[in-house]
Amino acid sequence: MIKIATLLGLAFLVNSPIYAADVLDEPIRPITIPDITDPQMVDLGHKLFHEMRLSLNGTISCASCHSLSTAGMDGLVESIGVNGQLGGINTPTVFNSRLNFRQMWDGRAFNLMEQVEKPILNPKEMGSNWAHILNFLQNDPPYLKLFSRTFSDGLTQNNVKKALVAFEETLLTPNSRFDRYLMGEADAITVDELMGYSLFKEYGCISCHQGMAVGGNLFQKLGLMKDYFSDRGNITTADLGRFNVTQKEKDRHVFKVPSLRNIELTAPYFHDGSINTLDSAVRVMMVYQLGIKPIETDIQLIVKFLRTLTGEYQGVPLNNE
Amino acid sequence: MSKSTFYFVVFSSLFFAVAAWFSINHHSDHESQQIKIVQIRNLQNETHDLVRNTLLAETGSIKHFDYLASSEQNIHAMIIQDEITGRDYDEFLLAISQIMETSSQIRSISAVYHNSLLFFPKGLSFFRHDWAASAPSQFLIELDVLERNVMQFNSVASNKQSLENISSQIESLRLNTSTLPEKMAEEVSRLMQHAQTLVNSSYQLRLLHSQLLSNQLSISAQHLIDFYNTSIQHTIQQENKLVERFYLIFLIIIMLAVRFWWKHQQKMVAELHIQSEQLKFMAHYDELTQLPNRTLFADRFKQAVAHSKRTDTMIAICFLDLDNFKQVNDNYGHDVGDELLNEVANRIKMILREEDTISRQGGDEFAILLRDIESYQQCEITLARINQSIAEPYLIDDALHHISASIGYTLYPLDDADLDTLLRHADQGMYQAKLAGRNQQILYNATSDKLAIDNQVRHQEIKQALSHQELHLYYQPKVNMKTGEVFGVEALIRWIHPVKGVIPPLDFLPLIEGTELEIQIGDWVINEALSQMDRWQQQDIKLKVSINISSHHLQSPIFFNQLNEALERHPEVKSQCLQLEILESTALGDLEAISGIIKSCQNILGVDFALDDFGTGYSSLTHMKNLSANTIKIDQTFVRDLLDDPDDYSIIEGIIGLAKAFHRDVIAEGVETNGHGIMLLIMGCDEAQGYGISRPLSADAIPSWLANYTPNKFWMDYASRHLSEQEQKLTLLKLTTEHWFNNFRNDILSMEERGSDRHFLKCHLGEWLPRLEQEKTFDKSWLDEVKLAHGKLFTLANNLVSKQEAGDVNAVRHGLTELNTRYDEVLFILEEYTHDSGSQKA
């Protein structure tokens, strides 16, 4: 009886076939590492990244706040710049930063090339200027030699940036347990962690935190379902987020959704560094972003899942010790 | 070496150097402009990808936004690397940055939208589970209403007004919470917040979607490319002039010495000349849409024919005409019309491949040439995509426009003719697509060409029928079987032809489906019915009148205003007394749009809706869910065989259940016998219409029919008896068995004429027995008795059929007497239970 079948709308959903047999078809994608095209430039960037003399008083390098041995950031609420000044916002990790669709919390830099000089020139951070930097490098024969060997036009402002960016682009953390799971290693994560992941999807965390970086590819307002800022109080300029860039009302309190890669190691959390533990961070997200009543057991499972996102740098699992 | 020779050599080499420098320099100048064009094209393509992937991501077809992010990075990098800066690029860069901005917003909002869409229904069902017992029932009902409204809001094109309506509804529910216990109130306010988020984000997404689709990317890119093309042309002309001047001097000074150089230059001039000719030719584009004109189209066709022969593939020649474009032009002005045409051209271009050609033929007509076609299906898919993309809404000056397109096409070399003939064929195909209801593509075919002409003749006849007042409305009464009340009539159209007599609607309405005439006739029906209601009202006859509206008519942009004006012309008639019936079985078309119209007619005009012929469509459940019709009409084909065919019984049972679940009224059509009525009453359907009550009557006959009307006692008695479930089932069994037995007796004797068809052996009782056994409504021992008796009856019936098949007529006649006895036995057992239960009650 076709009539009955159509009447009751018995349209069975047919599972769509999975084409790529090796990688699971999930909203999160494993990190892949592109080949390094110019190792010399990367080495030069590495040297510059750790170079304190780039700062005005020679006390601070990029690595001071983005230490590679502590998950690419400093674990402070706000970083400390030249002359002990506070940076005004929580320092994001430098790891996987190339995966972000914009740089900085408010996305004011379109890419790393635009971002890289901002902390160097910021008076609260490294407090430097290009005249100082070029002058210092000009008078340092080893650097001069490296620049002329790497670039046909030798030492220029643009080449300094290029070298730093080339190095930062190598700072990826592949091979996390979750990535291994995605690539077909079914027992790379435990049953609890897998349940955490399915809750992560069910609650809707995945709507923003997806893709290779598990975030980092869209803007979102903080406090979608409940006013985060009036509850926290004491609103600063940094809290205005993307509004500071566009001056548009709809961008007030809008931030780049951060990547959740290596998240267990990058406390404190959020742009204001106000939360110290992962489970409180998940709880805050549930209340303010998803508008649901947090359930403790579910939070614990989600946290377990989040811990599987910690990857490796140069073959060694990231850690904070 | 003489002095003069020396000067000559020095001078000529100097001249040589200057000429060479000049030529190289200028050459590179226009080359760099050509590179710029390529760069602009690349940037345009990359941005197109962003648009396309954003649309995919919005629908959830892509699970993550990485492709979008990397598209944005690529676009940014291309702008910087290719130095696409400066005032000339303002328009182009603005279009790109608007697309990026919109894409970024769509991402944020669709994340929010999908989350609330996930949470809201789930949260509601948890709420009902937890609080159904303690929450005030009125509040729960309001929640139900809100849920339906919110979910409908998502599925229907909604405007700002409906957003405000629903928001105030949400707000009032939120305010209501003060009377509820604290925990419940907290839960409700959470739910309300999700409801609000859901409708807000759904509305925003719709706007952003339209914004994204109406981007200025292609137009601004074309402006730039035109600019460069003109400037290249200009450079080449300049170069031509200068080079020629150099030549004159050069030739005077050295005629023979530089013969080689001269030849080389000659060749170059020739090349440049050809190039500039080409560019002039290419400037012959349609001014409005920047699409190739007819000449260029003809040229591309020639190339395509050569290509087709070489590669053994086909070419599709398509003719596209926009539906309802004239209305946009008339209602919103030519500027909006032009912009719409541009946007249509862009959308088509976005779907076509590089090797395809689209050209504007004038007005709202486009010709499309598709190359490398390997199958009819391939062409169908491409054209369907074009149709789909054109039918998406357009946002122009903050107003949304809906249009569609009709496409006709023909395939070369299957249809082997010159371009003019092919275009004419495609045009005829397009005409057929219009006739078939628009918004589709139809392959030209020579035989249907003749059919189309026949149709046109009939079309003219029908048109005359309307103007000659040969169309009439007949009215079929509808009654409530329980109360006996006549509460309404359905208006049915009849064509009373002076020669051919009465022509039923099915013989002429399908011919005009989807045409302007259909709308005119529909409009006539509305006005005629309202006038009749007015006249009846003066005779103190109050009837709810339902009329049939075609989906094409319903979707026409003027429908709402037409109806509104018609109602205003008859202020005495209450709009609540008018019901519009939409045919469920026809392809309803754009469900969203229809649902929107239905709702505005309901909410603003107060008119009722019914889904006609329900159950015969391909997606009844979807229609029930998405269309807020007040009444469901069970199709008569199900009712007619209700007593014969257990399957039809199940279908009707299903429809009634569904209607109740969705809080819709339900009425059965085609009620012909008392048995039908009783069965429907048992199943819970009280309203009916059909020959068993009255055939359709002319308007004049209605008053006297009403005066003489006596309610069907049989039904009213039955309905007033408040039977128990057991008694109802028994009635049902008796009725269907009796019906079956009578049919069987008649059918078996006429079997010879009808051939062997064992269908009439199918019996309700046999279907019901296992079901009753499971339900445990009856004693097992009694059921066993029925089963036994029924088994005997049925075996005998089977035997008789076999004998009849074998031609043993005497045996059959003899057997019929026994069959009668067996039947009486079954009936007796059924009766017995009634008496038993009756005595138990006593």
Side-chain angles (χ1 to χ4, degrees):
Chain A
M1 283 308 288
I2 295 169
K3 283 186 210 161
I4 294 188
T6 56
L7 172 75
L8 299 178
L10 297 178
F12 292 106
L13 288 173
V14 179
N15 284 329
S16 52
I18 294 169
Y19 295 107
D22 37 357
V23 176
L24 296 188
D25 181 25
E26 289 289 329
I28 297 178
R29 305 193 302 150
I31 292 180
T32 48
I33 299 212
D35 290 336
I36 293 175
T37 46
D38 192 340
Q40 256 180 24
M41 204 193 296
V42 172
D43 283 348
L44 175 55
H46 181 266
K47 202 164 147 70
L48 288 167
F49 191 82
H50 293 88
E51 181 54 76
M52 293 204 196
R53 285 173 292 177
L54 291 185
S55 69
L56 197 59
N57 59 6
T59 57
I60 290 188
S61 71
C62 304
S64 307
C65 301
H66 296 287
S67 164
L68 299 187
S69 58
T70 55
M73 44 100 247
D74 54 12
L76 300 171
V77 175
E78 294 173 44
S79 293
I80 298 164
V82 286
N83 304 324
Q85 299 178 88
L86 292 176
I89 201 157
N90 185 251
T91 299
T93 174
V94 71
F95 277 114
N96 304 315
S97 54
R98 71 170 292 177
L99 301 180
N100 290 330
F101 85 131
R102 303 281 197 285
Q103 301 299 331
M104 341 257 312
W105 278 101
D106 55 13
R108 66 178 183 274
F110 209 100
N111 51 29
L112 285 173
M113 208 52 193
E114 284 181 15
Q115 179 274 337
V116 74
E117 65 178 357
K118 293 209 153 69
I120 302 178
L121 306 181
N122 189 334
K124 284 185 185 171
E125 298 180 37
M126 290 166 76
S128 192
N129 56 61
W130 278 112
H132 165 80
I133 293 165
L134 292 176
N135 184 38
F136 144 65
L137 292 170
Q138 199 82 58
N139 295 311
D140 185 292
Y143 265 123
L144 218 47
K145 203 168 149 197
L146 280 173
F147 269 100
S148 57
R149 213 168 57 189
T150 312
F151 298 101
S152 57
D153 52 349
L155 171 65
T156 67
Q157 179 177 325
N158 208 33
N159 289 346
V160 175
K161 292 203 270 182
K162 267 191 182 164
L164 275 167
V165 169
F167 169 65
E168 286 179 351
E169 287 188 337
T170 65
L171 298 176
L172 292 169
T173 63
N175 219 20
S176 69
R177 286 198 292 123
F178 191 71
D179 280 2
R180 283 179 4 226
Y181 164 74
L182 289 176
M183 294 199 279
E185 209 178 302
D187 53 0
I189 62 174
T190 67
V191 176
D192 272 7
E193 288 158 350
L194 187 59
M195 269 172 66
Y197 175 52
S198 65
L199 287 169
F200 187 81
K201 289 196 284 190
E202 238 171 78
Y203 276 125
C205 314
I206 199 83
S207 296
C208 291
H209 294 286
Q210 32 60 44
M212 199 181 276
V214 201
N217 53 19
L218 74 159
F219 290 118
Q220 195 54 278
K221 183 179 169 158
L222 178 53
L224 274 171
M225 305 299 284
K226 193 168 192 293
D227 193 336
Y228 175 85
F229 292 95
S230 74
D231 284 3
R232 197 204 62 196
N234 198 15
I235 297 171
T236 66
T237 316
D239 288 336
L240 300 181
R242 194 150 172 76
F243 178 83
N244 292 330
V245 184
T246 65
Q247 302 298 319
K248 284 185 188 154
E249 201 45 47
K250 66 174 173 56
D251 286 328
R252 189 178 290 268
H253 304 316
V254 167
F255 297 90
K256 179 186 70 190
V257 171
S259 159
L260 296 185
R261 291 276 176 191
N262 312 313
I263 193 70
E264 66 164 320
L265 304 176
T266 58
Y269 301 111
F270 304 147
H271 74 285
D272 55 10
S274 60
I275 301 290
N276 288 317
T277 61
L278 209 43
D279 52 344
S280 339
V282 174
R283 204 170 294 120
V284 168
M285 284 285 112
M286 282 184 167
V287 172
Y288 291 93
Q289 298 303 94
L290 298 175
I292 49 180
K293 207 168 166 182
I295 298 171
E296 279 313 309
T297 46
D298 288 354
I299 292 179
Q300 294 315 322
L301 290 170
I302 290 177
V303 168
K304 280 186 181 170
F305 153 67
L306 291 175
R307 294 211 165 104
T308 65
L309 293 170
T310 303
E312 294 173 353
Y313 176 54
Q314 294 181 334
V316 181
L318 245 55
N319 61 65
N320 254 344
E321 271 91 67
Chain B
M1 193 191 288
S2 73
K3 211 172 185 182
S4 63
T5 320
F6 175 73
Y7 281 128
F8 172 74
V9 168
V10 168
F11 186 78
S12 58
S13 41
L14 256 175
F15 187 84
F16 210 113
V18 169
W21 174 81
F22 189 79
S23 129
I24 289 164
N25 201 36
H26 270 257
H27 203 250
S28 69
D29 212 32
H30 88 248
E31 223 164 44
S32 78
Q33 286 170 329
Q34 260 155 357
I35 290 171
K36 217 68 243 172
I37 292 182
V38 173
Q39 288 170 344
I40 290 165
R41 281 272 181 240
N42 289 342
L43 192 50
Q44 186 189 357
N45 288 341
E46 186 69 39
T47 317
H48 263 159
D49 280 354
L50 178 62
V51 171
R52 208 167 301 157
N53 283 331
T54 306
L55 294 177
L56 285 176
E58 188 201 331
T59 60
S61 317
I62 302 180
K63 289 180 173 173
H64 55 78
F65 300 142
D66 282 356
Y67 298 135
L68 303 179
S70 68
S71 254
E72 287 185 352
Q73 286 294 326
N74 289 346
I75 291 166
H76 187 79
M78 283 160 98
I79 291 174
I80 293 198
Q81 204 180 337
D82 301 339
E83 292 173 352
I84 310 274
T85 50
R87 283 196 49 191
D88 294 342
Y89 297 100
D90 277 356
E91 189 195 4
F92 186 49
L93 289 175
L94 182 69
I96 292 177
S97 78
Q98 276 169 350
I99 287 172
M100 291 218 265
E101 174 66 26
T102 314
S103 162
S104 162
Q105 281 187 52
I106 286 182
R107 266 176 273 173
S108 318
I109 293 174
S110 88
V112 180
Y113 169 76
H114 283 294
N115 279 354
S116 282
L117 189 63
L118 201 73
F119 181 83
F120 180 62
K122 212 165 29 175
L124 263 178
S125 81
F126 283 140
F127 179 82
R128 289 202 189 97
H129 178 260
D130 292 348
W131 299 101
S134 50
S137 60
Q138 181 57 31
F139 185 76
L140 285 174
I141 292 170
E142 280 173 32
L143 263 187
D144 284 353
V145 173
L146 180 73
E147 180 183 21
R148 208 162 53 222
N149 289 348
V150 168
M151 296 323 261
Q152 268 170 1
F153 183 90
N154 290 327
S155 60
V156 171
S158 315
N159 51 25
K160 192 137 193 155
Q161 183 59 42
S162 58
L163 176 67
E164 279 163 13
N165 288 347
I166 206 164
S167 302
S168 64
Q169 211 176 340
I170 292 169
E171 192 53 36
S172 85
L173 265 176
R174 207 201 296 256
L175 291 175
N176 258 351
T177 55
S178 52
T179 57
L180 303 176
E182 193 188 331
K183 268 197 165 168
M184 202 193 299
E186 189 189 315
E187 211 47 53
V188 171
S189 83
R190 206 194 314 275
L191 281 170
M192 289 310 107
Q193 189 165 13
H194 278 278
Q196 189 66 58
T197 311
L198 195 51
V199 290
N200 283 350
S201 55
S202 157
Y203 181 71
Q204 272 173 298
L205 271 183
R206 220 172 276 277
L207 287 184
L208 288 168
H209 188 99
S210 307
Q211 213 169 309
L212 192 65
L213 282 177
S214 58
N215 66 68
Q216 300 294 309
L217 185 69
S218 310
I219 298 178
S220 56
Q222 196 58 48
H223 285 173
L224 274 176
I225 289 166
D226 287 348
F227 167 77
Y228 276 115
N229 271 337
T230 345
S231 119
I232 290 172
Q233 215 178 339
H234 185 73
T235 316
I236 290 172
Q237 275 169 0
Q238 288 291 313
E239 232 171 83
N240 272 348
K241 272 186 205 155
L242 280 163
V243 169
E244 278 162 15
R245 257 177 228 164
F246 271 115
Y247 266 112
L248 276 172
I249 310 166
F250 211 50
L251 279 169
I252 295 165
I253 303 172
I254 39 160
M255 286 282 266
L256 296 164
V258 284
R259 180 172 271 172
F260 173 75
W261 163 244
W262 188 81
K263 269 189 181 160
H264 174 73
Q265 281 295 327
Q266 190 74 44
K267 208 168 123 201
M268 206 173 112
V269 168
E271 259 173 35
L272 292 174
H273 189 68
I274 291 165
Q275 263 178 334
S276 74
E277 279 301 304
Q278 265 176 0
L279 284 165
K280 261 185 222 153
F281 177 64
M282 279 171 63
H284 288 204
Y285 280 85
D286 173 49
E287 212 173 314
L288 176 66
T289 57
Q290 310 292 333
L291 295 176
N293 58 7
R294 283 157 182 266
T295 336
L296 188 53
F297 189 79
D299 192 58
R300 296 269 172 87
F301 176 71
K302 258 186 243 156
Q303 290 171 15
V305 168
H307 177 80
S308 149
K309 284 183 178 143
R310 214 165 42 241
T311 56
D312 205 16
T313 53
M314 296 187 282
I315 309 167
I317 311 291
C318 319
F319 201 90
L320 181 154
D321 186 274
L322 298 179
D323 309 325
N324 306 331
F325 176 71
K326 198 173 161 295
Q327 284 151 17
V328 175
N329 237 347
D330 292 350
N331 296 339
Y332 294 91
H334 286 279
D335 287 351
V336 173
D338 285 354
E339 206 160 318
L340 192 69
L341 282 178
N342 251 325
E343 182 52 30
V344 167
N346 282 335
R347 289 190 190 176
I348 300 175
K349 271 194 278 185
M350 228 159 127
I351 288 166
L352 295 185
R353 300 156 303 171
E354 197 106 319
E355 61 266 33
D356 302 332
T357 306
I358 163 178
S359 127
R360 180 159 170 245
Q361 300 283 303
D364 57 347
E365 295 169 343
F366 296 86
I368 302 170
L369 188 150
L370 304 173
R371 278 180 20 165
D372 294 324
I373 297 292
E374 275 162 7
S375 69
Y376 154 76
Q377 285 90 343
Q378 183 198 347
C379 186
E380 277 281 314
I381 289 168
T382 310
L383 295 177
R385 278 177 58 207
I386 290 179
N387 262 330
Q388 201 183 344
S389 132
I390 291 178
E392 295 256 4
Y394 298 77
L395 183 77
I396 298 170
D397 293 344
D398 291 332
L400 280 180
H401 300 272
H402 295 265
I403 54 165
S404 55
S406 300
I407 306 180
Y409 67 99
T410 187
L411 294 171
Y412 174 93
L414 296 182
D415 185 1
D416 195 357
D418 59 77
L419 180 61
D420 280 345
T421 315
L422 291 174
L423 273 173
R424 208 169 53 241
H425 287 170
D427 188 20
Q428 276 157 16
M430 184 277 290
Y431 182 68
Q432 280 157 23
K434 291 255 185 208
L435 281 183
R438 305 170 176 210
N439 191 19
Q440 54 191 296
Q441 61 284 344
I442 285 186
L443 176 66
Y444 164 78
N445 117 19
T447 48
S448 68
D449 203 21
K450 199 179 159 299
L451 214 69
I453 293 167
D454 285 352
N455 272 345
Q456 224 181 340
V457 174
R458 298 294 302 271
H459 191 91
Q460 279 306 324
E461 280 178 16
I462 300 167
K463 205 168 187 173
Q464 273 177 12
L466 179 63
S467 60
H468 293 175
Q469 289 161 357
E470 290 167 17
L471 300 181
H472 298 270
L473 287 186
Y474 272 54
Y475 298 88
Q476 184 172 43
K478 299 177 184 174
V479 301
N480 184 314
M481 297 187 284
K482 215 169 183 171
T483 63
E485 179 206 4
V486 182
F487 65 90
V489 290
E490 178 180 359
L492 297 158
I493 196 165
R494 296 282 184 272
W495 177 3
I496 303 182
H497 194 278
V499 182
K500 295 180 199 161
V502 178
I503 302 177
L506 274 180
D507 285 359
F508 66 96
L509 289 184
L511 295 175
I512 54 165
E513 217 173 273
T515 65
E516 187 61 31
L517 183 57
E518 185 179 39
I519 296 180
Q520 285 168 11
I521 289 183
D523 195 33
W524 174 82
V525 171
I526 295 177
N527 282 302
E528 177 62 24
L530 284 169
S531 307
Q532 189 53 52
M533 286 164 89
D534 231 348
R535 286 195 284 273
W536 279 335
Q537 207 142 6
Q538 282 159 22
Q539 304 170 45
D540 210 25
I541 295 174
K542 284 191 184 111
L543 287 172
K544 185 164 188 163
V545 176
S546 61
I547 53 187
N548 293 285
I549 296 295
S550 75
S551 84
H552 174 60
H553 186 195
L554 191 69
Q555 283 178 85
S556 78
I558 48 171
F559 178 78
F560 181 84
N561 288 338
Q562 268 185 355
L563 182 61
N564 191 15
E565 283 162 16
L567 284 168
E568 275 170 4
R569 276 197 292 277
H570 300 279
E572 300 300 316
V573 177
K574 278 190 195 143
S575 59
Q576 287 83 353
C577 289
L578 185 68
Q579 186 176 56
L580 304 183
E581 298 192 2
I582 332 164
L583 216 54
E584 204 262 329
S585 59
T586 48
L588 270 174
D590 185 353
L591 264 194
E592 278 194 13
I594 290 189
S595 161
I597 300 164
I598 291 182
K599 260 190 258 166
S600 34
C601 290
Q602 283 172 326
N603 298 340
I604 302 170
L605 304 179
V607 174
D608 252 20
F609 275 84
L611 274 181
D612 203 4
D613 289 2
F614 190 81
T616 56
Y618 288 101
S619 41
S620 299
L621 203 58
T622 321
H623 293 154
M624 173 93 86
K625 181 168 158 275
N626 290 326
L627 303 178
S628 57
N630 311 65
T631 307
I632 302 298
K633 294 191 85 173
I634 303 173
D635 184 49
Q636 50 181 328
T637 54
F638 301 127
V639 177
R640 201 174 45 222
D641 297 336
L642 172 59
L643 287 158
D644 304 302
D645 190 342
D647 291 334
D648 283 342
Y649 177 90
S650 308
I651 291 177
I652 296 185
E653 202 181 25
I655 296 179
I656 294 173
L658 274 175
K660 291 207 166 135
F662 282 90
H663 309 292
R664 310 290 166 83
D665 293 336
V666 58
I667 179 169
E669 290 179 300
V671 174
E672 288 173 6
T673 64
N674 283 347
H676 286 154
I678 299 285
M679 290 289 275
L680 287 163
L681 281 168
I682 291 175
M683 286 190 267
C685 170
D686 297 341
E687 300 184 348
Q689 156 187 3
Y691 277 46
I693 298 154
S694 167
R695 59 177 56 247
L697 303 166
S698 71
D700 300 337
I702 288 281
S704 65
W705 183 85
L706 281 175
N708 294 325
Y709 165 75
T710 41
N712 184 325
K713 279 250 156 52
F714 201 58
W715 293 340
M716 281 175 63
D717 275 358
Y718 181 79
S720 65
R721 259 194 271 156
H722 299 293
L723 297 180
S724 69
E725 202 192 330
Q726 270 185 8
E727 286 165 321
Q728 286 188 350
K729 291 258 162 74
L730 276 172
T731 317
L732 193 150
L733 293 181
K734 271 190 286 184
L735 261 180
T736 52
T737 315
E738 190 186 319
H739 185 81
W740 171 81
F741 179 69
N742 288 336
N743 274 355
F744 182 82
R745 245 189 350 198
N746 292 336
D747 287 353
I748 191 150
L749 293 174
S750 60
M751 214 175 93
E752 261 171 294
E753 300 137 44
R754 306 188 329 147
S756 174
D757 173 12
R758 283 175 172 254
H759 182 70
F760 62 89
L761 273 171
K762 219 167 174 187
C763 163
H764 268 267
L765 192 54
E767 305 267 332
W768 271 103
L769 285 173
R771 213 163 134 177
L772 292 176
E773 228 170 359
Q774 265 184 346
E775 284 176 8
K776 295 193 174 137
T777 14
F778 293 95
D779 284 348
K780 177 122 179 31
S781 61
W782 180 81
L783 266 181
D784 285 344
E785 231 178 296
V786 182
K787 234 170 155 179
L788 195 68
H790 171 256
K792 283 180 190 166
L793 176 68
F794 204 69
T795 323
L796 184 60
N798 245 325
N799 264 333
L800 288 183
V801 173
S802 307
K803 279 185 183 145
Q804 176 76 4
E805 275 169 357
D808 193 352
V809 183
N810 276 338
V812 174
R813 283 190 199 284
H814 188 71
L816 274 177
T817 331
E818 200 194 336
L819 192 76
N820 231 338
T821 325
R822 295 273 172 252
Y823 168 65
D824 284 344
E825 271 172 30
V826 173
L827 221 56
F828 178 75
I829 298 169
L830 293 178
E831 291 285 346
E832 194 184 44
Y833 200 92
T834 326
H835 291 306
D836 283 2
S837 61
S839 60
Q840 271 165 21
K841 250 189 211 166

